[in-house]
């Protein structure tokens, strides 16, 4: 396996009920490819949280996953409102989710902390009014 | 304890049948906040919740839980039922509260030990 395997998804910002589909698809493919459970778990948690954030906070976006020899790179791009204070957003329990979103089970303020915890590196590039790009790596 | 034994011992309703009824349940997690559940749930857990939307199915799928157990007789939404069937996620339900389910489970696990 020399060529990296790439996945691309357009993540719909309107549809809360199909949220998580891209993550579930990637998880199934990684399992078929025979990656170990701990790697699959890390990628699943990190990508799911990022995918959901694009849906609930940024009207959707795009996800690109690159499975290389030594690492899996997850890039999530959106043209949403951006994150004004990244340090605050990274704190456990901080959430701006509205009540209708909380009623679905979101809004614990644990998504970004989970993404950090379950990946080997995470970089947030964000600008208010422009959008957010999050790059995460899981080492193999 | 296998899913079949669990369903029997706690008189659970089967909303979506398990694809492997003999799968062993290893541990129990109770919670409704999805990003906490996402980080705490382990493969082969029984996840007790009162959340009923499709996101429950996505989290169950991603974490490889043995089954989702809906407490207090809440009903899985139709979208979520379809998603669970498509993905082979076992969904069970009971009129008991999460506490009562955990209490009963603890009794059974103790008796089987
Ligand atoms: N892609 C994004 N675009 C704009 N804001 C974001 C984005 N991702 C996160 N945020 C902001 O950061 C906050 C914290 O995100 P985090 O994922 O930790 O919690 P949450 O999504 O509110 O709740 P949870 O993930 O626990 O369901 C969000 O409430 C939101 O204000
Ligand atoms: Mg989140």
């Amino acid at each position: 396996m020399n060529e990296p395997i790439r996945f691309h998804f357009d993540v719909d910002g309107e549809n809360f009920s199909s949220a998580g589909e891209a993550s579930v698809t990637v998880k199934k493919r990684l399992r078929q490819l025979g990656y170990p459970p701990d790697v699959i778990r890390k990628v699943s948690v990190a990508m799911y949280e990022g995918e959901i954030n694009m849906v609930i906070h940024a009207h959707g976006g795009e996800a690109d996953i690159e499975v290389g020899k030594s690492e899996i790179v997850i890039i999530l791009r959106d043209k949403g409102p951006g994150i004004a204070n990244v340090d605050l957003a990274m704190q456990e329990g901080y959430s701006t989710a509205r009540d209708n979103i909380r009623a679905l089970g979101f809004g614990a303020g644990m998504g970004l902390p989970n993404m950090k915890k379950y990946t080997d590196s995470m970089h947030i590039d964000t600008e208010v009014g422009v959008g957010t790009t999050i790059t995460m790596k899981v080492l193999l | 304890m296998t899913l079949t034994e669990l369903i029997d011992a706690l008189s659970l309703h089967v909303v979506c049948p398990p694809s492997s009824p003999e799968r062993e349940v290893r541990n129990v997690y109770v919670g409704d906040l999805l990003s906490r559940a996402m980080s705490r749930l382990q493969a082969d857990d029984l996840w007790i919740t009162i959340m009923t939307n499709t996101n429950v199915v996505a989290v169950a799928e991603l974490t490889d839980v043995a089954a989702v157990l809906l407490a207090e007789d809440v009903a899985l939404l139709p979208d979520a039922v379809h998603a669970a069937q498509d993905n082979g996620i076992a969904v069970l339900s009971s009129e008991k509260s999460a506490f009562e389910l955990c209490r009963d489970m603890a009794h059974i696990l103790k008796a089987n030990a």
Side-chain angles (χ1 to χ4, degrees), chain A residues 16-17 23-24 27-28 31 41 48-49 103-106 108 110 114 118, chain B residues 32-35 38-39 41-42 51 53-55 59 61-62 64 79 87:
Chain A
F16 293 131
S17 64
S23 306
V24 169
K27 185 217 157 183
K28 285 182 179 164
R31 175 173 280 182
R41 177 171 172 76
Y48 177 75
E49 296 290 5
L104 294 172
F106 301 115
M110 291 298 293
N114 280 351
Y118 283 92
Chain B
D32 306 315
L33 291 173
L34 297 173
S35 59
M38 192 71 212
S39 128
L41 284 168
Q42 300 289 333
M51 280 292 158
N53 62 77
T54 42
N55 297 289
V59 170
E61 164 72 39
L62 289 168
D64 283 320
D79 271 3
N87 287 292

PDB file of all heavy atoms in Angstrom, chain A residues 16-17 23-24 27-28 31 41 48-49 103-106 108 110 114 118, chain B residues 32-35 38-39 41-42 51 53-55 59 61-62 64 79 87:
ATOM      1  N   PHE A  16     -29.713  17.175  10.633  1.00  0.00           N
ATOM      2  CA  PHE A  16     -29.147  16.649  11.877  1.00  0.00           C
ATOM      3  C   PHE A  16     -29.260  15.135  11.954  1.00  0.00           C
ATOM      4  O   PHE A  16     -28.507  14.481  12.630  1.00  0.00           O
ATOM      5  CB  PHE A  16     -29.869  17.235  13.090  1.00  0.00           C
ATOM      6  CG  PHE A  16     -29.626  18.700  13.248  1.00  0.00           C
ATOM      7  CD1 PHE A  16     -30.674  19.569  13.444  1.00  0.00           C
ATOM      8  CD2 PHE A  16     -28.335  19.195  13.202  1.00  0.00           C
ATOM      9  CE1 PHE A  16     -30.443  20.929  13.592  1.00  0.00           C
ATOM     10  CE2 PHE A  16     -28.093  20.555  13.341  1.00  0.00           C
ATOM     11  CZ  PHE A  16     -29.154  21.417  13.537  1.00  0.00           C
ATOM     12  N   SER A  17     -30.273  14.589  11.263  1.00  0.00           N
ATOM     13  CA  SER A  17     -30.505  13.165  11.469  1.00  0.00           C
ATOM     14  C   SER A  17     -29.534  12.306  10.673  1.00  0.00           C
ATOM     15  O   SER A  17     -29.315  11.152  11.018  1.00  0.00           O
ATOM     16  CB  SER A  17     -31.958  12.789  11.175  1.00  0.00           C
ATOM     17  OG  SER A  17     -32.244  13.011   9.830  1.00  0.00           O
ATOM     18  N   SER A  23     -18.418   9.861   9.197  1.00  0.00           N
ATOM     19  CA  SER A  23     -17.584   9.162  10.192  1.00  0.00           C
ATOM     20  C   SER A  23     -17.865   7.665  10.197  1.00  0.00           C
ATOM     21  O   SER A  23     -16.938   6.854  10.289  1.00  0.00           O
ATOM     22  CB  SER A  23     -17.856   9.719  11.590  1.00  0.00           C
ATOM     23  OG  SER A  23     -17.689  11.109  11.596  1.00  0.00           O
ATOM     24  N   VAL A  24     -19.145   7.317  10.112  1.00  0.00           N
ATOM     25  CA  VAL A  24     -19.506   5.894  10.108  1.00  0.00           C
ATOM     26  C   VAL A  24     -18.925   5.206   8.858  1.00  0.00           C
ATOM     27  O   VAL A  24     -18.405   4.090   8.933  1.00  0.00           O
ATOM     28  CB  VAL A  24     -21.041   5.714  10.199  1.00  0.00           C
ATOM     29  CG1 VAL A  24     -21.444   4.268   9.923  1.00  0.00           C
ATOM     30  CG2 VAL A  24     -21.540   6.137  11.581  1.00  0.00           C
ATOM     31  N   LYS A  27     -15.182   4.764   9.346  1.00  0.00           N
ATOM     32  CA  LYS A  27     -14.940   3.693  10.315  1.00  0.00           C
ATOM     33  C   LYS A  27     -15.078   2.313   9.662  1.00  0.00           C
ATOM     34  O   LYS A  27     -14.245   1.432   9.867  1.00  0.00           O
ATOM     35  CB  LYS A  27     -15.926   3.818  11.473  1.00  0.00           C
ATOM     36  CG  LYS A  27     -15.643   2.825  12.565  1.00  0.00           C
ATOM     37  CD  LYS A  27     -16.881   2.286  13.198  1.00  0.00           C
ATOM     38  CE  LYS A  27     -16.569   0.956  13.823  1.00  0.00           C
ATOM     39  NZ  LYS A  27     -17.726   0.324  14.414  1.00  0.00           N
ATOM     40  N   LYS A  28     -16.146   2.152   8.880  1.00  0.00           N
ATOM     41  CA  LYS A  28     -16.372   0.847   8.235  1.00  0.00           C
ATOM     42  C   LYS A  28     -15.247   0.515   7.265  1.00  0.00           C
ATOM     43  O   LYS A  28     -14.795  -0.629   7.188  1.00  0.00           O
ATOM     44  CB  LYS A  28     -17.709   0.851   7.500  1.00  0.00           C
ATOM     45  CG  LYS A  28     -18.889   0.739   8.455  1.00  0.00           C
ATOM     46  CD  LYS A  28     -20.207   0.693   7.699  1.00  0.00           C
ATOM     47  CE  LYS A  28     -21.372   0.555   8.665  1.00  0.00           C
ATOM     48  NZ  LYS A  28     -22.651   0.880   8.037  1.00  0.00           N
ATOM     49  N   ARG A  31     -12.096  -0.485   9.091  1.00  0.00           N
ATOM     50  CA  ARG A  31     -12.232  -1.845   9.616  1.00  0.00           C
ATOM     51  C   ARG A  31     -12.001  -2.868   8.508  1.00  0.00           C
ATOM     52  O   ARG A  31     -11.276  -3.849   8.694  1.00  0.00           O
ATOM     53  CB  ARG A  31     -13.603  -2.031  10.240  1.00  0.00           C
ATOM     54  CG  ARG A  31     -13.810  -3.471  10.675  1.00  0.00           C
ATOM     55  CD  ARG A  31     -15.057  -3.645  11.441  1.00  0.00           C
ATOM     56  NE  ARG A  31     -14.867  -3.225  12.827  1.00  0.00           N
ATOM     57  CZ  ARG A  31     -15.827  -3.308  13.731  1.00  0.00           C
ATOM     58  NH1 ARG A  31     -17.004  -3.752  13.398  1.00  0.00           N
ATOM     59  NH2 ARG A  31     -15.606  -2.955  14.968  1.00  0.00           N
ATOM     60  N   ARG A  41     -10.844   3.569  16.761  1.00  0.00           N
ATOM     61  CA  ARG A  41     -11.551   4.315  17.804  1.00  0.00           C
ATOM     62  C   ARG A  41     -11.134   5.787  17.794  1.00  0.00           C
ATOM     63  O   ARG A  41     -11.978   6.685  17.854  1.00  0.00           O
ATOM     64  CB  ARG A  41     -11.270   3.681  19.167  1.00  0.00           C
ATOM     65  CG  ARG A  41     -11.891   4.435  20.313  1.00  0.00           C
ATOM     66  CD  ARG A  41     -11.770   3.666  21.617  1.00  0.00           C
ATOM     67  NE  ARG A  41     -12.211   4.473  22.739  1.00  0.00           N
ATOM     68  CZ  ARG A  41     -13.478   4.713  23.019  1.00  0.00           C
ATOM     69  NH1 ARG A  41     -14.426   4.205  22.266  1.00  0.00           N
ATOM     70  NH2 ARG A  41     -13.797   5.459  24.055  1.00  0.00           N
ATOM     71  N   TYR A  48     -15.972  12.109  14.194  1.00  0.00           N
ATOM     72  CA  TYR A  48     -17.386  12.301  14.532  1.00  0.00           C
ATOM     73  C   TYR A  48     -17.608  13.661  15.195  1.00  0.00           C
ATOM     74  O   TYR A  48     -18.503  14.415  14.803  1.00  0.00           O
ATOM     75  CB  TYR A  48     -17.868  11.180  15.457  1.00  0.00           C
ATOM     76  CG  TYR A  48     -19.298  11.361  15.906  1.00  0.00           C
ATOM     77  CD1 TYR A  48     -20.351  11.106  15.049  1.00  0.00           C
ATOM     78  CD2 TYR A  48     -19.595  11.811  17.191  1.00  0.00           C
ATOM     79  CE1 TYR A  48     -21.663  11.290  15.440  1.00  0.00           C
ATOM     80  CE2 TYR A  48     -20.906  11.998  17.596  1.00  0.00           C
ATOM     81  CZ  TYR A  48     -21.942  11.732  16.721  1.00  0.00           C
ATOM     82  OH  TYR A  48     -23.236  11.928  17.111  1.00  0.00           O
ATOM     83  N   GLU A  49     -16.794  13.972  16.189  1.00  0.00           N
ATOM     84  CA  GLU A  49     -16.969  15.247  16.894  1.00  0.00           C
ATOM     85  C   GLU A  49     -16.790  16.428  15.942  1.00  0.00           C
ATOM     86  O   GLU A  49     -17.531  17.407  16.009  1.00  0.00           O
ATOM     87  CB  GLU A  49     -15.983  15.346  18.062  1.00  0.00           C
ATOM     88  CG  GLU A  49     -16.190  14.303  19.158  1.00  0.00           C
ATOM     89  CD  GLU A  49     -17.454  14.517  19.983  1.00  0.00           C
ATOM     90  OE1 GLU A  49     -18.253  15.419  19.669  1.00  0.00           O
ATOM     91  OE2 GLU A  49     -17.645  13.771  20.962  1.00  0.00           O
ATOM     92  N   ALA A 103     -31.311  19.352  23.013  1.00  0.00           N
ATOM     93  CA  ALA A 103     -32.361  18.343  23.166  1.00  0.00           C
ATOM     94  C   ALA A 103     -32.002  17.061  22.416  1.00  0.00           C
ATOM     95  O   ALA A 103     -32.506  15.988  22.737  1.00  0.00           O
ATOM     96  CB  ALA A 103     -33.696  18.888  22.667  1.00  0.00           C
ATOM     97  N   LEU A 104     -31.122  17.174  21.422  1.00  0.00           N
ATOM     98  CA  LEU A 104     -30.686  15.983  20.675  1.00  0.00           C
ATOM     99  C   LEU A 104     -29.534  15.264  21.370  1.00  0.00           C
ATOM    100  O   LEU A 104     -29.119  14.187  20.941  1.00  0.00           O
ATOM    101  CB  LEU A 104     -30.248  16.379  19.255  1.00  0.00           C
ATOM    102  CG  LEU A 104     -31.325  16.924  18.312  1.00  0.00           C
ATOM    103  CD1 LEU A 104     -30.694  17.444  17.028  1.00  0.00           C
ATOM    104  CD2 LEU A 104     -32.343  15.835  17.994  1.00  0.00           C
ATOM    105  N   GLY A 105     -28.988  15.861  22.415  1.00  0.00           N
ATOM    106  CA  GLY A 105     -27.892  15.215  23.150  1.00  0.00           C
ATOM    107  C   GLY A 105     -26.542  15.876  22.937  1.00  0.00           C
ATOM    108  O   GLY A 105     -25.532  15.433  23.477  1.00  0.00           O
ATOM    109  N   PHE A 106     -26.526  16.969  22.154  1.00  0.00           N
ATOM    110  CA  PHE A 106     -25.265  17.691  21.959  1.00  0.00           C
ATOM    111  C   PHE A 106     -25.153  18.815  22.992  1.00  0.00           C
ATOM    112  O   PHE A 106     -26.108  19.110  23.687  1.00  0.00           O
ATOM    113  CB  PHE A 106     -25.205  18.291  20.550  1.00  0.00           C
ATOM    114  CG  PHE A 106     -25.329  17.261  19.464  1.00  0.00           C
ATOM    115  CD1 PHE A 106     -26.417  17.246  18.615  1.00  0.00           C
ATOM    116  CD2 PHE A 106     -24.346  16.292  19.314  1.00  0.00           C
ATOM    117  CE1 PHE A 106     -26.531  16.291  17.620  1.00  0.00           C
ATOM    118  CE2 PHE A 106     -24.461  15.331  18.324  1.00  0.00           C
ATOM    119  CZ  PHE A 106     -25.555  15.329  17.476  1.00  0.00           C
ATOM    120  N   ALA A 108     -22.515  19.195  25.393  1.00  0.00           N
ATOM    121  CA  ALA A 108     -21.776  18.951  26.631  1.00  0.00           C
ATOM    122  C   ALA A 108     -20.480  19.770  26.663  1.00  0.00           C
ATOM    123  O   ALA A 108     -19.838  19.889  27.704  1.00  0.00           O
ATOM    124  CB  ALA A 108     -21.454  17.461  26.777  1.00  0.00           C
ATOM    125  N   MET A 110     -17.792  18.918  25.026  1.00  0.00           N
ATOM    126  CA  MET A 110     -16.722  17.905  25.109  1.00  0.00           C
ATOM    127  C   MET A 110     -16.171  17.530  23.736  1.00  0.00           C
ATOM    128  O   MET A 110     -15.239  16.742  23.641  1.00  0.00           O
ATOM    129  CB  MET A 110     -17.266  16.631  25.772  1.00  0.00           C
ATOM    130  CG  MET A 110     -17.597  16.779  27.237  1.00  0.00           C
ATOM    131  SD  MET A 110     -16.161  17.182  28.235  1.00  0.00           S
ATOM    132  CE  MET A 110     -15.244  15.644  28.065  1.00  0.00           C
ATOM    133  N   ASN A 114     -12.437  16.177  23.189  1.00  0.00           N
ATOM    134  CA  ASN A 114     -12.310  14.776  22.735  1.00  0.00           C
ATOM    135  C   ASN A 114     -11.408  14.682  21.504  1.00  0.00           C
ATOM    136  O   ASN A 114     -10.594  13.755  21.383  1.00  0.00           O
ATOM    137  CB  ASN A 114     -13.678  14.200  22.354  1.00  0.00           C
ATOM    138  CG  ASN A 114     -14.494  13.750  23.553  1.00  0.00           C
ATOM    139  OD1 ASN A 114     -13.988  13.703  24.673  1.00  0.00           O
ATOM    140  ND2 ASN A 114     -15.758  13.421  23.318  1.00  0.00           N
ATOM    141  N   TYR A 118      -8.092  12.341  21.562  1.00  0.00           N
ATOM    142  CA  TYR A 118      -8.021  11.101  20.791  1.00  0.00           C
ATOM    143  C   TYR A 118      -7.121  11.178  19.562  1.00  0.00           C
ATOM    144  O   TYR A 118      -7.045  10.227  18.792  1.00  0.00           O
ATOM    145  CB  TYR A 118      -9.435  10.648  20.394  1.00  0.00           C
ATOM    146  CG  TYR A 118     -10.161  10.014  21.557  1.00  0.00           C
ATOM    147  CD1 TYR A 118     -10.970  10.762  22.399  1.00  0.00           C
ATOM    148  CD2 TYR A 118      -9.982   8.658  21.843  1.00  0.00           C
ATOM    149  CE1 TYR A 118     -11.606  10.193  23.484  1.00  0.00           C
ATOM    150  CE2 TYR A 118     -10.616   8.077  22.925  1.00  0.00           C
ATOM    151  CZ  TYR A 118     -11.431   8.846  23.737  1.00  0.00           C
ATOM    152  OH  TYR A 118     -12.053   8.280  24.817  1.00  0.00           O
TER     153      TYR A 118
ATOM    154  N   ASP B  32     -26.673  10.436  28.464  1.00  0.00           N
ATOM    155  CA  ASP B  32     -27.420  10.974  27.327  1.00  0.00           C
ATOM    156  C   ASP B  32     -26.657  12.035  26.546  1.00  0.00           C
ATOM    157  O   ASP B  32     -27.064  12.402  25.454  1.00  0.00           O
ATOM    158  CB  ASP B  32     -28.735  11.588  27.830  1.00  0.00           C
ATOM    159  CG  ASP B  32     -29.527  10.589  28.647  1.00  0.00           C
ATOM    160  OD1 ASP B  32     -29.629   9.432  28.211  1.00  0.00           O
ATOM    161  OD2 ASP B  32     -30.012  10.956  29.729  1.00  0.00           O
ATOM    162  N   LEU B  33     -25.593  12.550  27.106  1.00  0.00           N
ATOM    163  CA  LEU B  33     -24.814  13.565  26.389  1.00  0.00           C
ATOM    164  C   LEU B  33     -23.877  12.840  25.429  1.00  0.00           C
ATOM    165  O   LEU B  33     -23.005  12.073  25.840  1.00  0.00           O
ATOM    166  CB  LEU B  33     -24.039  14.437  27.378  1.00  0.00           C
ATOM    167  CG  LEU B  33     -24.930  15.352  28.231  1.00  0.00           C
ATOM    168  CD1 LEU B  33     -24.115  16.055  29.305  1.00  0.00           C
ATOM    169  CD2 LEU B  33     -25.645  16.372  27.363  1.00  0.00           C
ATOM    170  N   LEU B  34     -24.084  13.104  24.129  1.00  0.00           N
ATOM    171  CA  LEU B  34     -23.449  12.261  23.110  1.00  0.00           C
ATOM    172  C   LEU B  34     -21.927  12.344  23.102  1.00  0.00           C
ATOM    173  O   LEU B  34     -21.254  11.330  22.912  1.00  0.00           O
ATOM    174  CB  LEU B  34     -24.019  12.602  21.734  1.00  0.00           C
ATOM    175  CG  LEU B  34     -25.526  12.327  21.606  1.00  0.00           C
ATOM    176  CD1 LEU B  34     -26.051  12.843  20.278  1.00  0.00           C
ATOM    177  CD2 LEU B  34     -25.835  10.845  21.756  1.00  0.00           C
ATOM    178  N   SER B  35     -21.372  13.545  23.321  1.00  0.00           N
ATOM    179  CA  SER B  35     -19.912  13.603  23.245  1.00  0.00           C
ATOM    180  C   SER B  35     -19.245  13.003  24.490  1.00  0.00           C
ATOM    181  O   SER B  35     -18.107  12.549  24.427  1.00  0.00           O
ATOM    182  CB  SER B  35     -19.406  15.016  22.950  1.00  0.00           C
ATOM    183  OG  SER B  35     -19.826  15.911  23.941  1.00  0.00           O
ATOM    184  N   MET B  38     -19.605   9.255  23.661  1.00  0.00           N
ATOM    185  CA  MET B  38     -18.643   8.931  22.600  1.00  0.00           C
ATOM    186  C   MET B  38     -17.268   8.634  23.190  1.00  0.00           C
ATOM    187  O   MET B  38     -16.579   7.724  22.755  1.00  0.00           O
ATOM    188  CB  MET B  38     -18.569  10.140  21.660  1.00  0.00           C
ATOM    189  CG  MET B  38     -17.867   9.903  20.370  1.00  0.00           C
ATOM    190  SD  MET B  38     -18.815   8.850  19.286  1.00  0.00           S
ATOM    191  CE  MET B  38     -17.490   8.042  18.447  1.00  0.00           C
ATOM    192  N   SER B  39     -16.888   9.400  24.189  1.00  0.00           N
ATOM    193  CA  SER B  39     -15.552   9.215  24.750  1.00  0.00           C
ATOM    194  C   SER B  39     -15.505   8.105  25.802  1.00  0.00           C
ATOM    195  O   SER B  39     -14.467   7.478  25.992  1.00  0.00           O
ATOM    196  CB  SER B  39     -15.052  10.562  25.269  1.00  0.00           C
ATOM    197  OG  SER B  39     -14.621  10.489  26.567  1.00  0.00           O
ATOM    198  N   LEU B  41     -17.865   5.303  26.095  1.00  0.00           N
ATOM    199  CA  LEU B  41     -18.335   3.974  25.682  1.00  0.00           C
ATOM    200  C   LEU B  41     -17.201   3.125  25.124  1.00  0.00           C
ATOM    201  O   LEU B  41     -16.366   3.620  24.365  1.00  0.00           O
ATOM    202  CB  LEU B  41     -19.432   4.104  24.624  1.00  0.00           C
ATOM    203  CG  LEU B  41     -20.814   4.517  25.114  1.00  0.00           C
ATOM    204  CD1 LEU B  41     -21.709   4.882  23.937  1.00  0.00           C
ATOM    205  CD2 LEU B  41     -21.451   3.410  25.945  1.00  0.00           C
ATOM    206  N   GLN B  42     -17.187   1.860  25.493  1.00  0.00           N
ATOM    207  CA  GLN B  42     -16.188   0.911  25.004  1.00  0.00           C
ATOM    208  C   GLN B  42     -16.904  -0.178  24.203  1.00  0.00           C
ATOM    209  O   GLN B  42     -18.103  -0.396  24.381  1.00  0.00           O
ATOM    210  CB  GLN B  42     -15.466   0.251  26.189  1.00  0.00           C
ATOM    211  CG  GLN B  42     -14.740   1.219  27.106  1.00  0.00           C
ATOM    212  CD  GLN B  42     -13.500   1.815  26.473  1.00  0.00           C
ATOM    213  OE1 GLN B  42     -12.871   1.202  25.600  1.00  0.00           O
ATOM    214  NE2 GLN B  42     -13.150   3.022  26.882  1.00  0.00           N
ATOM    215  N   MET B  51     -32.091   8.987  25.051  1.00  0.00           N
ATOM    216  CA  MET B  51     -32.043   9.724  23.780  1.00  0.00           C
ATOM    217  C   MET B  51     -32.602   8.829  22.674  1.00  0.00           C
ATOM    218  O   MET B  51     -32.330   7.625  22.666  1.00  0.00           O
ATOM    219  CB  MET B  51     -30.603  10.081  23.440  1.00  0.00           C
ATOM    220  CG  MET B  51     -30.118  11.281  24.183  1.00  0.00           C
ATOM    221  SD  MET B  51     -31.008  12.738  23.603  1.00  0.00           S
ATOM    222  CE  MET B  51     -30.786  13.805  25.000  1.00  0.00           C
ATOM    223  N   ASN B  53     -32.922   9.915  19.038  1.00  0.00           N
ATOM    224  CA  ASN B  53     -32.718  10.335  17.642  1.00  0.00           C
ATOM    225  C   ASN B  53     -31.591   9.537  16.985  1.00  0.00           C
ATOM    226  O   ASN B  53     -30.875   8.777  17.638  1.00  0.00           O
ATOM    227  CB  ASN B  53     -32.496  11.848  17.569  1.00  0.00           C
ATOM    228  CG  ASN B  53     -31.258  12.277  18.309  1.00  0.00           C
ATOM    229  OD1 ASN B  53     -30.156  12.107  17.824  1.00  0.00           O
ATOM    230  ND2 ASN B  53     -31.440  12.804  19.517  1.00  0.00           N
ATOM    231  N   THR B  54     -31.406   9.724  15.682  1.00  0.00           N
ATOM    232  CA  THR B  54     -30.435   8.905  14.925  1.00  0.00           C
ATOM    233  C   THR B  54     -29.001   9.058  15.399  1.00  0.00           C
ATOM    234  O   THR B  54     -28.176   8.195  15.134  1.00  0.00           O
ATOM    235  CB  THR B  54     -30.407   9.264  13.418  1.00  0.00           C
ATOM    236  OG1 THR B  54     -30.465  10.659  13.292  1.00  0.00           O
ATOM    237  CG2 THR B  54     -31.497   8.582  12.668  1.00  0.00           C
ATOM    238  N   ASN B  55     -28.719  10.163  16.067  1.00  0.00           N
ATOM    239  CA  ASN B  55     -27.347  10.346  16.531  1.00  0.00           C
ATOM    240  C   ASN B  55     -26.936   9.269  17.533  1.00  0.00           C
ATOM    241  O   ASN B  55     -25.761   8.929  17.638  1.00  0.00           O
ATOM    242  CB  ASN B  55     -27.181  11.747  17.107  1.00  0.00           C
ATOM    243  CG  ASN B  55     -27.420  12.787  16.029  1.00  0.00           C
ATOM    244  OD1 ASN B  55     -26.614  12.949  15.133  1.00  0.00           O
ATOM    245  ND2 ASN B  55     -28.571  13.444  16.071  1.00  0.00           N
ATOM    246  N   VAL B  59     -23.493   7.033  17.251  1.00  0.00           N
ATOM    247  CA  VAL B  59     -22.541   6.850  18.357  1.00  0.00           C
ATOM    248  C   VAL B  59     -22.392   5.357  18.691  1.00  0.00           C
ATOM    249  O   VAL B  59     -21.286   4.864  18.907  1.00  0.00           O
ATOM    250  CB  VAL B  59     -22.975   7.666  19.604  1.00  0.00           C
ATOM    251  CG1 VAL B  59     -22.146   7.291  20.824  1.00  0.00           C
ATOM    252  CG2 VAL B  59     -22.845   9.166  19.320  1.00  0.00           C
ATOM    253  N   GLU B  61     -22.808   2.863  16.679  1.00  0.00           N
ATOM    254  CA  GLU B  61     -22.057   2.249  15.585  1.00  0.00           C
ATOM    255  C   GLU B  61     -20.552   2.540  15.724  1.00  0.00           C
ATOM    256  O   GLU B  61     -19.716   1.649  15.611  1.00  0.00           O
ATOM    257  CB  GLU B  61     -22.596   2.790  14.250  1.00  0.00           C
ATOM    258  CG  GLU B  61     -21.718   2.581  13.036  1.00  0.00           C
ATOM    259  CD  GLU B  61     -21.678   1.140  12.580  1.00  0.00           C
ATOM    260  OE1 GLU B  61     -22.731   0.501  12.628  1.00  0.00           O
ATOM    261  OE2 GLU B  61     -20.588   0.677  12.197  1.00  0.00           O
ATOM    262  N   LEU B  62     -20.244   3.808  16.012  1.00  0.00           N
ATOM    263  CA  LEU B  62     -18.833   4.210  16.073  1.00  0.00           C
ATOM    264  C   LEU B  62     -18.110   3.608  17.271  1.00  0.00           C
ATOM    265  O   LEU B  62     -16.899   3.421  17.233  1.00  0.00           O
ATOM    266  CB  LEU B  62     -18.723   5.737  16.105  1.00  0.00           C
ATOM    267  CG  LEU B  62     -19.074   6.432  14.787  1.00  0.00           C
ATOM    268  CD1 LEU B  62     -19.235   7.925  14.986  1.00  0.00           C
ATOM    269  CD2 LEU B  62     -18.006   6.153  13.730  1.00  0.00           C
ATOM    270  N   ASP B  64     -18.959   0.636  18.754  1.00  0.00           N
ATOM    271  CA  ASP B  64     -19.078  -0.833  18.799  1.00  0.00           C
ATOM    272  C   ASP B  64     -19.718  -1.359  20.067  1.00  0.00           C
ATOM    273  O   ASP B  64     -19.297  -2.397  20.598  1.00  0.00           O
ATOM    274  CB  ASP B  64     -17.698  -1.492  18.649  1.00  0.00           C
ATOM    275  CG  ASP B  64     -17.230  -1.472  17.219  1.00  0.00           C
ATOM    276  OD1 ASP B  64     -18.062  -1.694  16.331  1.00  0.00           O
ATOM    277  OD2 ASP B  64     -16.030  -1.231  16.993  1.00  0.00           O
ATOM    278  N   ASP B  79     -36.649   7.403  11.868  1.00  0.00           N
ATOM    279  CA  ASP B  79     -35.339   7.527  11.188  1.00  0.00           C
ATOM    280  C   ASP B  79     -34.282   6.677  11.857  1.00  0.00           C
ATOM    281  O   ASP B  79     -33.442   6.050  11.211  1.00  0.00           O
ATOM    282  CB  ASP B  79     -34.834   8.981  11.315  1.00  0.00           C
ATOM    283  CG  ASP B  79     -35.311   9.843  10.183  1.00  0.00           C
ATOM    284  OD1 ASP B  79     -36.065   9.323   9.350  1.00  0.00           O
ATOM    285  OD2 ASP B  79     -34.931  11.030  10.160  1.00  0.00           O
ATOM    286  N   ASN B  87     -27.678  -0.644   9.972  1.00  0.00           N
ATOM    287  CA  ASN B  87     -26.320  -0.831  10.494  1.00  0.00           C
ATOM    288  C   ASN B  87     -26.193  -2.043  11.421  1.00  0.00           C
ATOM    289  O   ASN B  87     -25.132  -2.273  11.980  1.00  0.00           O
ATOM    290  CB  ASN B  87     -25.860   0.427  11.230  1.00  0.00           C
ATOM    291  CG  ASN B  87     -25.544   1.559  10.265  1.00  0.00           C
ATOM    292  OD1 ASN B  87     -24.588   1.495   9.516  1.00  0.00           O
ATOM    293  ND2 ASN B  87     -26.381   2.578  10.258  1.00  0.00           N
TER     294      ASN B  87
END
